[in-house]
Structures are given as C-alpha cells and as structure tokens.
Amino acid sequence: MSITFYNVYRFAYPSNNTTLQTVVQSPSTPTGIAVDSANDHIYWIDSNRLSRCNLDGRNVTVLSTFIYPWVIRLDVTNRWMYIVEESKGILKSRFDLSDRRTITNFTSTPVRCMDIDTEENRLYWINYDGDMKSCKDDGSDVKIILSTHVRRTYYAISVVGSYIYYGNGNQLLMVNKSQGSKPTVLHNDTQSIYSIYVFNQRGMLTTIYNHE
C-alpha cells in the first residue's frame, strides 16, 4: 500500500532563488497554516488535528484534535489562536490551548474561511449561504457586512486596512469593511480561488491568490 504525503514548504523571501525546502510532511491534506514568528513555530491543520513544529521542521507535535477544523489564524501580539471548525464555530484559545472556548456558533451554515483584523480586533468570515459576517474578537457584536446571495463554499478572505479581499468562485473581489458597501471585482480567473494573501510593498498593496 502506498501513502501520499503532503508537504509544508518554505523559501527565502524576497529572493531570486525560490528553491523550496520541505519543512514537514503530512499524510493528510493541510487546510490551514499559521506562523508564530515570535517563538519560531509553525502551526497547521490536517484532517482533524492541530500540529506544531519549529520553523526548521523539528519537534513535530500534535497539540489537539477538533471536529472538522479548517482555518487557523494567530494574533501574535496578544497571543491568541483562532480556529474555524467548519460546522461548529470559531474557537479561541491561548497558544498553549489554555483558556479555550467557542466564541461564535455557525449553526447550520458551514464556514471554510476566516481572517483577523488586528487593528480593530475583529474577525471576518463568509458562510455557505454567502453571508460575510464580522464580530469582535470575543464573539460579541456580530454583523453582516454583505450577502453574495450565492450558496457555495467560500475558501478565501483577507482583511487589510479598510478593505476585505475575498474569493467568490473564480472572482477576486474587494469591499470596504463598512456595512452596505458595494464590492468591486478585481480579477476574473478561469478557475476557483482558494486562498488570498495581501501585503503592503512600498506603499502599494499587492494581492496574491491561489487556485486549483
């Protein structure tokens, strides 16, 4: 019997040499990854497990198991971890998994994307019904930012400054964080968009996305 392994890679950036280095191998497809730069740790989710290792791949440890975990985000400054359990809610805990609690419940609408706005201490996500929602980082003050009116699985969302970037099938869109704002289509792809990373490079926002 053969076993397929899925790798977590790293490479130096910025660099002209993008040679990939394998950090760790997983027998299951990783769905979420986050870096604790202060302590040189990588966290990732695969299957129903949350694991951690050093940045060089040493000391791999399975920290806990969950019910259908999908996304992990870290607030490195305040030392909080947020995990999306797709059909349950958003779980919040310290990095050592103490003070662990569910702060938001999803009821019957699964979620597979979420991001943190550390400037305003809020979380943003899109559920299967197409509702983009936000709440404070303690789970209070839940708001609907917009509704796409399209029932599907949403995989990609990123919050930067005053804007939310998200994938809707093969479209990459941007919308202001204010309720009632109208989204702008930034790009139409030929395939579905599964992840977004937005960063500020010399005063200019650059959006990188991944598709299958």
Side-chain angles (χ1 to χ4, degrees):
M1 180 181 65
S2 62
I3 299 177
T4 301
F5 284 94
Y6 301 87
N7 297 332
V8 175
Y9 297 102
R10 69 175 184 178
F11 62 90
Y13 178 84
S15 173
N16 293 325
N17 181 8
T18 56
T19 301
L20 298 180
Q21 302 174 11
T22 299
V23 177
V24 70
Q25 290 185 324
S26 168
S28 300
T29 306
T31 60
I33 188 169
V35 177
D36 175 10
S37 55
N39 291 298
D40 296 332
H41 284 149
I42 299 174
Y43 292 81
W44 73 95
I45 289 171
D46 59 352
S47 186
N48 65 335
R49 303 174 302 179
L50 170 66
S51 301
R52 184 186 70 197
C53 71
N54 296 353
L55 292 182
D56 60 5
R58 293 182 297 113
N59 300 323
V60 175
T61 304
V62 176
L63 299 177
S64 186
T65 58
F66 297 90
I67 301 172
Y68 302 118
W70 198 265
V71 181
I72 178 171
R73 292 288 185 268
L74 303 180
D75 179 351
V76 176
T77 301
N78 298 305
R79 311 303 296 167
W80 285 110
M81 175 189 302
Y82 299 87
I83 293 176
V84 170
E85 294 187 276
E86 65 170 326
S87 297
K88 183 178 180 182
I90 299 175
L91 182 145
K92 177 179 181 178
S93 77
R94 292 297 183 182
F95 283 20
D96 61 0
L97 295 182
S98 64
D99 198 7
R100 177 172 164 173
R101 59 192 184 272
T102 298
I103 60 172
T104 299
N105 294 306
F106 294 150
T107 60
S108 60
T109 50
V111 173
R112 287 190 174 182
C113 68
M114 182 267 292
D115 200 17
I116 309 172
D117 177 4
T118 55
E119 295 180 5
E120 296 186 0
N121 299 316
R122 296 189 69 89
L123 309 179
Y124 291 81
W125 67 93
I126 309 174
N127 65 23
Y128 184 81
D129 288 337
D131 295 327
M132 179 185 290
K133 294 187 176 184
S134 171
C135 73
K136 292 183 179 178
D137 58 10
D138 61 0
S140 64
D141 190 33
V142 178
K143 300 177 180 179
I144 296 179
I145 306 301
L146 63 85
S147 180
T148 67
H149 304 292
V150 177
R151 287 173 55 85
R152 71 186 320 151
T153 301
Y154 294 81
Y155 292 98
I157 188 169
S158 181
V159 182
V160 178
S162 299
Y163 293 95
I164 305 164
Y165 301 81
Y166 65 100
N168 184 356
N170 65 335
Q171 288 189 320
L172 176 64
L173 300 99
M174 176 184 73
V175 67
N176 193 284
K177 290 189 294 189
S178 302
Q179 288 178 283
S181 298
K182 184 178 179 180
T184 299
V185 177
L186 300 178
H187 176 68
N188 286 289
D189 206 285
T190 58
Q191 301 179 70
S192 295
I193 297 172
Y194 284 89
S195 64
I196 302 171
Y197 179 69
V198 183
F199 66 99
N200 194 325
Q201 183 181 36
R202 297 178 182 176
M204 181 175 64
L205 287 177
T206 301
T207 306
I208 298 174
Y209 65 92
N210 177 53
H211 59 69
E212 189 174 74

